[in-house]
Amino acid sequence: FSRSWRSGLRAYEVLAMSRGLKEKVLSTKFKVAPTSKDNLITWIMRHVGGNHKRPHSGAWAAEVQAALEDGVDRLLQPALEREWWKQAMEMAEESSLQTFAENLRHKLLQPPIKGCGVVAIDPG
């Protein structure tokens, strides 16, 4: 199963994926487009030690770029994945509660069955 980030996931898909991850029957992998990663590293190189018009081009440029690539892969991408999952789960849970509330509302507002007794329990 593969889905693009831009196509979006429905709330029930996010909840199903979360259940699958918890039960260890699914695994996920986020892939970042290589051009996005390269653009980010170039932007950082320009704004950290560069002159904002051209990338950093000193004696340590290769080491700085390697460190940035490592930082993006090891630190930034996992942090963004966690943040994305947190936001996706919050939206999915909110959506599922709204769906449940709407369905329950329709069930509770149905007229009683004609000719049958209705038992009610007052929780108060």
Side-chain angles (χ1 to χ4, degrees), residues 39-95:
N39 290 341
L40 174 64
I41 291 172
T42 301
W43 184 88
I44 294 171
M45 292 283 284
R46 283 185 181 154
H47 289 83
V48 177
N51 65 2
H52 300 291
K53 294 184 181 178
R54 61 181 170 77
H56 190 286
S57 59
W60 296 94
E63 285 78 8
V64 170
Q65 179 147 357
L68 284 172
E69 289 175 1
D70 179 54
V72 167
D73 290 339
R74 267 188 331 105
L75 304 171
L76 185 61
Q77 187 173 348
L80 291 175
E81 289 175 19
R82 285 189 301 273
E83 183 65 25
W84 184 86
W85 266 111
K86 178 181 160 193
Q87 289 178 356
M89 284 301 296
E90 286 174 359
M91 291 184 340
E93 288 171 354
E94 180 65 31
S95 176

Side-chain angles (χ1 to χ4, degrees), residues 3 8-15 92:
R3 169 115 5 148
L9 292 171
R10 293 176 194 91
Y12 65 88
E13 293 172 328
V14 172
L15 293 172

